[in-house]
Amino acid sequence: MTPADEARRAALLDAALGVFARFGFRKTSMDEVARAAQISRQGLYLHFTNKDELFRATVTYTIASSLADAKRALEAEKGSINERLVNAFDEWVGRYVGRFAADAADLMQAAEGLLWTTIVEHEKAFIEALTATIRESGLVAEYKPVGVTARQIAETLCSVTKGLKHRVETREEFREGLTVAVRIICAPLAK
């Protein structure tokens, strides 16, 4: 694909994500996605033969983009470990907080049914990147006396994140809650 083709595909998948987020899987129509993407229905069908294929591509693109952005945040040369962790979780999950309507409650079920392996692989890759960043930060040495590993710290932060995304309504609230959690986890480095 040329860069222009990739940009068009990304715009189409971003439009599809917006429609799925508003209407959910069952209520989303190819017509609505075509309108949101500002292409004809026939043009959409040239890219995707049906809604399942469009949904798979949308979810795969979305989680791959989130993972790439989260990894970039973790690898940033500037910023404290706290800032890098908060920014990574914001890219991984925070960007979606408050974007999904009540009608979109069926999306996770549809995603798990159609893309379970893809979702699990990306989550594992995120946890691995997070674990490596935590290990490199020196935080593990502070927790070693109590037998806590970098992986356990990463998984704990992921659990906190999952709870936060269901409890808060805005991305700003998500970042605030996550900032507190990261500050608590990273407190031994502040000595």
Side-chain angles (χ1 to χ4, degrees), residues 62-148:
T62 300
I63 62 176
S65 297
S66 296
L67 178 59
D69 292 343
K71 284 182 173 181
R72 271 192 290 281
L74 289 171
E75 295 165 359
E77 291 186 22
K78 292 186 179 180
S80 68
I81 182 66
N82 295 44
E83 293 167 331
R84 291 169 38 220
L85 290 172
V86 170
N87 290 338
F89 276 105
D90 185 49
E91 294 295 348
W92 181 242
V93 174
R95 63 169 60 172
Y96 305 110
V97 173
R99 283 190 63 189
F100 293 88
D103 286 343
D106 67 341
L107 286 178
M108 196 59 195
Q109 182 180 10
E112 288 174 354
L114 295 170
L115 295 153
W116 182 250
T117 303
T118 301
I119 292 168
V120 169
E121 288 171 2
H122 282 79
E123 285 178 350
K124 283 181 182 177
F126 177 67
I127 290 174
E128 287 170 14
L130 193 58
T131 300
T133 299
I134 290 167
R135 192 175 292 118
E136 292 165 8
S137 74
L139 189 58
V140 178
E142 300 294 330
Y143 282 100
K144 190 174 185 174
V146 292
V148 176

Side-chain angles (χ1 to χ4, degrees), residues 6 15-17 19 25 33-34 43-44 48-49 80 84 90-91 101 107 119-120 139 144 157 162-163 165 167 175 187:
E6 287 179 18
L17 178 63
V19 176
F25 181 77
V33 173
L44 180 59
F48 305 99
T49 58
S80 68
R84 291 169 38 220
D90 185 49
E91 294 295 348
L107 286 178
I119 292 168
V120 169
L139 189 58
K144 190 174 185 174
L157 284 171
K162 287 178 182 178
K165 78 176 180 181
R167 188 176 60 80
R175 282 187 66 91

